[in-house]
Amino acid sequence: PDVSAVWLAVAQTRLKSGDAPGATEAIARAERLAPQDPPVWRAAAMIFEGTGDVARAIEYQQKWLQAAPADVASRVRLARLY
């Protein structure tokens, strides 16, 4: 399997279980393995939003929207972050 996808899943699982530091660490690993992977950016935006790091959530949401400009739900999520 794609190792970055595994770390992405770990990050999402850790966030859902309330382990914000673990989620942040796991998404950082996923991004190191796949720095140009838009799904990693999308997940990072959600994770940083979930941890309360709004500035980083906005940064990654904007990166995701450059790759997927038609994603209306993500545009709404970005607007809510502001």
Side-chain angles (χ1 to χ4, degrees):
D2 179 8
V3 177
S4 67
V6 171
W7 280 109
L8 186 60
V10 168
Q12 292 167 334
T13 301
R14 287 182 176 172
L15 184 64
K16 287 179 186 175
S17 71
D19 180 10
T24 302
E25 178 185 329
I27 199 65
R29 284 185 173 208
E31 187 175 24
R32 278 195 300 273
L33 292 166
Q36 300 301 318
D37 188 12
V40 171
W41 302 336
R42 182 176 188 212
M46 291 180 188
I47 287 166
F48 289 122
E49 180 180 356
T51 63
D53 189 342
V54 176
R56 289 185 78 188
I58 289 170
E59 172 190 346
Y60 281 98
Q61 194 68 39
Q62 289 173 334
K63 286 177 79 169
W64 164 250
L65 284 170
Q66 288 176 359
D71 185 343
V72 175
S74 289
R75 289 190 174 282
V76 171
R77 174 172 262 129
L78 179 61
R80 287 183 180 155
L81 288 169
Y82 282 105

